[in-house]
Amino acid sequence: RLNYQIYKFKKKKKEVIKMPKFLTPGKVVVVLRGKYAGHKAVIVRSYDKGTDKRRFGHALVTGVSRYPRRVVKSMPMNKIIRRTRVKAFIKQINYSHLMPTRYALDLPLNKVVTPHSLEKGKKKQTRKIVRKVLQNQLHSGKSKWFFTKLRF
């Protein structure tokens, strides 16, 4: 028989490992749930510990609601302008409904899109400003991947 007093087992303390922040402002994500499921978006602000109204980790995101359509060289200019329009959305989304990508997009939206800009009277104006910023990004030719529809 073994003497259990001799063999005292020490309980190991669990080490707390901090996860690196990867859902940071500027990160391109794909929305997984809701009206904009499958649409690409950019994180403007992230709330890891939540807020008073939303007590879970979430992010303030802006993205492309309606993607630009295909353009051919033989099309007249006014048709090209119409087809390259972008429609934007602004939303607060739970982290579990976002899928991060390896891409990042540097958009100057920190001062424009705030939690206060989501209030009923201000949301429409904010969306227009975001649309102009996204439109300029599209016409500059940078980050073409962001403005193409996901095919799956």
Side-chain angles (χ1 to χ4, degrees), residues 8-112:
K8 288 186 178 177
F9 297 105
K10 291 183 178 178
K11 289 185 180 179
K12 291 184 179 178
K13 290 184 178 179
K14 290 183 181 178
E15 292 181 25
V16 178
I17 300 169
K18 283 193 174 182
M19 286 287 291
K21 278 187 159 186
F22 58 93
L23 291 171
T24 55
K27 183 65 120 176
V28 176
V29 293
V30 178
V31 180
L32 300 176
R33 289 278 176 104
K35 182 179 179 180
Y36 301 108
H39 289 253
K40 295 170 194 163
V42 182
I43 295 177
V44 178
R45 290 183 185 205
S46 56
Y47 303 95
D48 292 328
K49 295 182 181 176
T51 58
D52 292 337
K53 290 183 180 177
R54 297 169 182 263
R55 296 181 182 194
F56 48 85
H58 63 280
L60 182 59
V61 223
T62 63
V64 181
S65 173
R66 184 171 51 220
Y67 290 95
R69 297 170 74 193
R70 195 168 143 248
V71 174
V72 183
K73 201 173 187 179
S74 62
M75 287 182 183
M77 196 60 188
N78 61 352
K79 192 170 189 177
I80 290 173
I81 291 168
R82 217 176 321 119
R83 284 178 150 253
T84 55
R85 283 192 188 140
V86 173
K87 189 176 178 184
F89 70 88
I90 306 165
K91 221 167 167 48
Q92 286 185 326
I93 302 177
N94 190 337
Y95 280 161
S96 61
H97 303 311
L98 296 175
M99 184 175 74
T101 63
R102 64 182 179 176
Y103 299 101
L105 203 63
D106 189 34
L107 294 175
L109 294 172
N110 291 350
K111 294 175 184 174
V112 178

